[in-house]
Every structure is written in structure tokens, then in C-alpha cells.
Amino acid sequence: MSRPRIVIVGAGFAGYRTARTLARAARGRAEITLLNPTDYFLYLPLLPQVAAGILEPRRVTVSLAGTLPDVRLVLGEAGRIDLDGRTVHYTGPEGERGSLGYDRLVLAAGSVNKLLPIPGVAEHAHGFRGLPEALYLRDHVTRQVELAASDGEGPLCSARCTFVVVGAGYTGTEVAAQGQLFTDALVRAHPLREGMRPRWLLLDVAERVLPELDERLSGTADRVLRERGVDVRMGTSVKEATPDGVLLTDGEFVGTRTLVWCVGVRPDPLAESLGLPMERGRLLVEPTLQVPGRPEVFACGDAAAVPDLEKPGEYTPMTAQHAWRQGKAAGHNIAASLTGRELRPYRHKDMGFVVDLGGVKAAANPLGIPLSGLPAGAVTRGYHLAAMPGNRVRVAADWLLDAVLPRQAVQLGLVRSWSVPLDTASPELARVPDGRERRRETDTPSDGAGAPSAGGRKAVGGGGGDDTSRTITSPTPEPVQSEPAKRNRQGAEPAEPRQAAESANPRRGAEPAKNQPGGEPARNQPGGEPAKNQPGGEPAKNQPGGEPARNQPGGEPARKQPGREPAKGRPGSEPAAGEQSRPQPAPTRSAPTRSAPQEGDR
């Protein structure tokens, strides 16, 4: 008798916990397959410390193969799911297509960045939901401080030292708190002009910081931020974002080169593409985490609307804490469904919350006891070490080294601005330089030249993001100067690379144009691979000393063209003796266009 096949989509908090729980409960009696774009589980709560240079990137990742030995890992992004045929179709990391049959399916696709219809935000902001975005922010902030130190004076110097964070939830608060400490440390290595200090702004339309927590914890966080120098502005948000700064809703224009967008998350569009009952973009499930009418399908984490039995009529919020617990419940219920045992509904009790404010500062309320200062900092770090499924010793070692050694202020340059767009369905994957985002295999038509619509976007391996998304904007080096960029360079003031990058990429989620600033240089442009028929490059095939082009004037006629062999001396024929054929210009590739995605937001 064959073993039952269980497919888990996504290895975030919910998916990873489901796989681990199920593997222990099944004990080899089931074939468990985990489909995820990356080979690691990402511990999101510590991502701000990666951006601030406290932790190395691998510290917040846990190997799936190393910690789930009884689970088969398949690298890929889920696309079309055939519920009637019980098949998941996916696209591999190199574009290959595949499918997985199942007897039980767990949807834990997670969430993506929440988008709002504010002009300029999609073009001048980046997400903060994956390692590429954290690495980019770390490099970008370092670069801005170093450039400001070399610029000396002027509005550009001030803009480089101004960092705007929108969203005062968990993520935005931690990014602002850690960011202020990070830039202060950078300034010690790269002093700014006298009287200038890095400036961080934290904006939110809510009345207070951390509005989802009680007022005592919110007041603690607010006090720590203000004492540290963060400009906290409640009841204020961004009205418009431009390459030079942001226009606030109170009418003030703030010059900046960094916009961190932390206004929340939305469920991955994979859930909506199934055509099942939804609740604000989340898949409706029963308290046992089963999809109504589909007892073989389970859903948990940010992609599922799970009834909150502690608060009748409500659904559990999209937090990592709920996703982690729901994953455990899903694993036990799937194992029970295979043996005919009774399934248990998901219940929870709040154990408290922790918010790391950097250094020894934190806000926490374990078991409902409000804490601040050093005790809260100890509880916060202890909680993270206990919650992490791996790398505990390495994380603790990095914390110890950060306490006794200065942080390294270097730019690695591994992630560019256009590699981490705000509008992306895969924040855990950096966009490759020579190709657009891989499309999901889906029945949903694309809404542009190569970009899938909202219902057919790629699945995220998330599952259990916290209540806010993480986002930033920043510049990209420009290999080719456009005319506006050249004009901006007059007066010895360097043009902001981000401006050039986004001018080449005006649409959300589109790949930068190959011959535009910020993208891969055109093949016949300076800074790129020399064109085959240009000086300094390989001689063109139809130039003296080279083989004549097959289908170019002066070369051998194309083999599949209508008509017979052309007469000698005419275009398409063999050139006459001593006659040189005219070189053909190298083709220039233009950027694919993409229409703005439909907002599947709450």
C-alpha cells in the first residue's frame, strides 16, 4: 500500500511548523513534500537586526534540509492548483515546470507587501519582507551616510541623512529604532559637518506607536524613540513620493533618499486564484483549518482567515505568533485525518508581545506583565532565542560581538535597487539582472507584456509575517547616462542614481529597461558588452576578416526566405570582390511594460 502524499506550499512560520510537526507525527508513514522558493526558513522578527549590521544574514535563516530530514524539499514557486485533480503546478528556480500530486494539501503561502494608491510610492520604495531587501537597506543606508560625509553641505547632504519610515507597527518601529543606532555608529566612522546628525522620521496615521499593543507598551516605545532622536509623527503619512523626497499629508515636504514603507501586509494572491470563499483576500477555513467543501485541503498562516474562538465573529490577525501555532495545529490535524482520529479546532491564548528597540532597550509584556528597559531587553532576546528553530548559538555570538566590537561599515553591493521592487509577489527572491520575474503557471491571463495579473502571481514562501511589511527606497548605479541625468550632473553635483533607475522602470514590478539607466546596459552602449560590429568588440561577421552574416546584406541569403538565390551584387548576395558590406546596427532591447496590478488589499 502506497503512503499518502502530503504537499505543503510555503515554508514560512506556518508551513515550516506544519512540516516539522507532521514529520514527527507521521513517523515515515506519509510522503511529505515541502514546496518553497528558497531552501531556508526565514526568522522575520530579527530581520531589522540584519539591516542594522548586528546579525549576519545567515543567522536568521534555518536550513530546511538540515532541520527537516524526513521531508522532501522541492525548490519552486506554486502556480496553478488543480483542486479537482489534486495537483500543484509549480515553476522551478531555473524556469523548469513541474507538478506534484497530493492526498492532503496545506496552503501556507504567506503574505506580500501591502500596496496603497499613493503616487510615487511603488517607484520610490522597497519592501522589507526578505533577506534581499534587508541587505539592500543595509548597503543603501551605509552609502547615503558615506556620500553625505563627502558632500559636505547643501540640501543634497541633508536629504541623504534623512530616513523616512512609514508605519509604526512592529516592523516600522523596530526599523526606525535600530536604524537610528546604526546611522549614529556610521557617523562615528564618517563624521558629518558640524551640527548635522542623521535624522529618522516615523510616520503613521494612527494616534500612537504600536497601536495594536496596550497603551503602556506603546508609551514605552514612543519614549525610547524620542529620547534616541527619532522624529515620531502620529496622524501623518505620505501624500506623494518623488525622487527628491516625500510630501507629507500635513503639507510639509521632506527631502530624503530613503523611504521605508511598513504599512502592513496582504495575503499572497495565490489564495485568491483558487476561486474559493475569501475574507479580505484570505482563504476562509473552519476552526480545524480545513477548507469548507474540501476536507483534503488545509490552510494556515497569513493566507488563511481562521476563526478566532476566543473572540467570536472575528478572525485571528496576521502575525507570526498565530502562524507558528496554526502550523502546529495543522500538522496534528492532518496526521489525525490520515488515521481517522478526531480533528481539534485551533485555539490560542496570548502569551504577550516583545518589541526590540535596539541596544538594551525593548518593550515587552510576557504573560501580561509590562516591562521596559534592561529587563524587557533580556526577555525579548531570550524569547527570540527560544523561538528560533536553529542558529541559536550563532545569533547569541553575534549579539555578544556587537556589544564589544564596532560594527563594520562597508557596502557589499550584492543587491541593487531594481532587484527588490516594492510591488513583487516574491520578496524572498531578488530579481535577476537579465530577466523578468518568472511567471506562475496559471490559467489567469497576464495583464501586460509578461507580467501576471493579481490572481496569477507567484507564491511567497512566507506564512506568518507580522502586522506590518518592511520597505525602503534607494538608488541604483546607472551604467548609461540619459540626457536628464547629464543635465542633473551639471555643477558637479552627482545625479541620484535612484532617479535614473526609476525613470527606466516607471511601472510597478516591471524589469528595468535593458538600455536604460539602472538596468543592464544595452549591448551597443558604453559600459555594456561591445556590439559585435563596433570598434573594440569582436569583428562583425559581415566585416572584412569575418564571416559574412547569414541574413544580412552582403552575406549568404537566409535559408528559409522566399525566392531563389539573389543575383550577385544585389542586397542579400555575396559581396563583390573588394566591396565592403555596410555594418548593421546592434539591436537595442526595450523594457517590457506592465500595467499596475489590481489591489487585492483589505
Side-chain angles (χ1 to χ4, degrees):
M1 182 177 178
S2 61
R3 295 184 300 169
R5 300 166 300 172
I6 303 170
V7 174
I8 303 171
V9 178
F13 280 89
Y16 180 86
R17 188 75 183 277
T18 301
R20 193 173 74 169
T21 303
L22 189 57
R24 293 175 178 175
R27 297 180 181 178
R29 294 189 296 267
E31 180 184 334
I32 306 171
T33 301
L34 181 60
L35 177 63
N36 196 59
T38 64
D39 63 351
Y40 59 81
F41 159 76
L42 176 64
Y43 190 74
L44 277 170
L46 292 181
L47 206 58
Q49 296 192 26
V50 174
I54 299 173
L55 297 177
E56 288 304 310
R58 285 188 176 89
R59 303 294 188 259
V60 298
T61 63
V62 177
S63 170
L64 298 178
T67 56
L68 301 173
D70 298 325
V71 177
R72 175 194 173 202
L73 173 63
V74 175
L75 292 178
E77 296 173 291
R80 182 171 59 88
I81 297 179
D82 184 357
L83 296 176
D84 294 327
R86 297 193 177 189
T87 305
V88 177
H89 300 271
Y90 69 91
T91 303
E94 296 182 351
E96 67 276 14
R97 300 292 178 86
S99 61
L100 299 170
Y102 64 84
D103 298 301
R104 297 290 187 275
L105 174 64
V106 181
L107 292 174
S111 54
V112 297
N113 296 316
K114 184 177 182 180
L115 304 178
L116 297 179
I118 298 178
V121 168
E123 294 79 12
H124 305 291
H126 295 278
F128 200 73
R129 303 231 4 112
L131 272 182
E133 295 163 324
L135 291 175
Y136 170 75
L137 175 57
R138 181 172 171 175
D139 274 2
H140 170 69
V141 171
T142 303
R143 178 168 59 251
Q144 295 307 306
V145 172
E146 291 175 348
L147 290 175
S150 62
D151 287 344
E153 299 182 5
L156 179 58
C157 178
S158 177
R160 293 193 187 280
C161 289
T162 301
F163 308 91
V164 179
V165 181
V166 183
Y170 290 102
T171 306
T173 300
E174 291 185 351
V175 167
Q178 297 282 4
Q180 184 70 67
L181 293 179
F182 182 44
T183 51
D184 287 346
L186 292 175
V187 168
R188 286 194 287 269
H190 302 277
L192 302 175
R193 64 180 176 85
E194 186 176 355
M196 177 172 287
R197 185 193 176 196
R199 177 190 180 197
W200 285 78
L201 279 77
L202 179 61
L203 314 176
D204 202 303
V205 294
E207 296 180 355
R208 57 188 176 90
V209 174
L210 297 172
E212 58 274 7
L213 299 185
D214 62 60
E215 294 187 5
R216 186 165 180 176
L217 289 182
S218 174
T220 298
D222 186 273
R223 184 180 67 255
V224 170
L225 291 172
R226 294 181 187 274
E227 290 176 352
R228 194 168 290 170
V230 177
D231 187 356
V232 180
R233 301 190 186 185
M234 296 294 97
T236 306
S237 187
V238 171
K239 184 177 181 180
E240 181 181 1
T242 71
D244 299 320
V246 293
L247 177 63
L248 305 184
T249 53
D250 60 6
E252 180 184 355
F253 183 84
V254 177
T256 182
R257 292 295 185 270
T258 308
L259 176 61
V260 187
W261 194 254
C262 301
V263 296
V265 295
R266 56 189 172 122
D268 187 274
L270 175 66
E272 190 175 3
S273 69
L274 299 177
L276 297 173
M278 308 293 293
E279 169 62 27
R280 295 187 177 183
R282 295 198 285 173
L283 196 62
L284 273 174
V285 298
E286 297 173 350
T288 57
L289 305 179
Q290 289 176 298
V291 175
R294 297 280 181 178
E296 76 281 1
V297 180
F298 293 75
C300 51
D302 289 355
V306 181
D308 191 341
L309 300 183
E310 302 296 324
K311 301 176 181 178
E314 298 184 15
Y315 298 94
T316 57
M318 299 167 62
T319 65
Q321 190 176 111
H322 278 293
W324 188 250
R325 295 174 180 177
Q326 290 169 9
K328 181 179 180 179
H332 285 303
N333 283 344
I334 293 172
S337 71
L338 296 175
T339 58
R341 292 183 286 116
E342 183 181 359
L343 277 62
R344 293 179 294 181
Y346 171 71
R347 290 183 178 272
H348 74 94
K349 289 186 179 180
D350 289 336
M351 304 298 292
F353 298 92
V354 295
V355 180
D356 192 343
L357 300 176
V360 297
K361 303 290 187 179
N365 62 343
L367 303 177
I369 303 173
L371 298 175
S372 61
L374 184 58
V379 169
T380 298
R381 295 203 168 184
Y383 168 80
H384 288 315
L385 287 180
M388 289 192 69
N391 288 349
R392 296 186 181 97
V393 174
R394 290 185 173 93
V395 169
D398 275 3
W399 284 341
L400 178 61
L401 291 175
D402 180 69
V404 298
L405 296 176
R407 300 180 193 178
Q408 293 179 294
V410 294
Q411 303 177 49
L412 298 180
L414 299 178
V415 182
R416 302 300 181 91
S417 173
W418 50 265
S419 297
V420 284
L422 175 62
D423 182 13
T424 176
S426 294
E428 74 282 359
L429 295 176
R431 178 170 296 169
V432 294
D434 58 348
R436 68 188 64 167
E437 287 188 19
R438 292 186 300 277
R439 290 177 53 187
R440 244 188 205 158
E441 183 182 358
T442 176
D443 293 334
T444 313
S446 64
D447 62 354
S453 63
R457 298 182 55 188
K458 297 183 291 182
V460 183
D466 55 43
D467 296 271
T468 55
S469 66
R470 312 171 181 198
T471 330
I472 44 179
T473 66
S474 116
T476 305
E478 45 178 320
V480 184
Q481 295 183 16
S482 62
E483 287 302 318
K486 293 178 181 178
R487 289 193 295 269
N488 288 340
R489 293 182 181 276
Q490 294 177 357
E493 181 179 298
E496 177 57 35
R498 182 182 62 184
Q499 274 182 267
E502 264 107 27
S503 66
N505 186 15
R507 296 184 182 269
R508 298 184 179 181
E511 179 191 3
K514 300 297 183 180
N515 57 346
Q516 296 292 337
E520 177 181 329
R523 300 298 183 186
N524 57 346
Q525 297 292 339
E529 179 183 344
K532 300 300 185 182
N533 57 347
Q534 295 295 335
E538 178 182 349
K541 301 300 184 182
N542 56 348
Q543 292 293 338
E547 180 183 348
R550 299 287 184 187
N551 56 351
Q552 297 293 336
E556 179 181 341
R559 299 187 183 279
K560 295 184 181 180
Q561 298 295 329
R564 301 180 178 177
E565 180 180 356
K568 303 291 185 181
R570 298 185 65 86
S573 66
E574 182 178 355
E579 180 182 352
Q580 297 184 7
S581 61
R582 179 176 300 173
Q584 298 298 315
T588 303
R589 297 160 63 187
S590 61
T593 60
R594 175 181 177 183
S595 62
Q598 298 296 323
E599 181 61 50
D601 217 350
R602 290 177 288 173

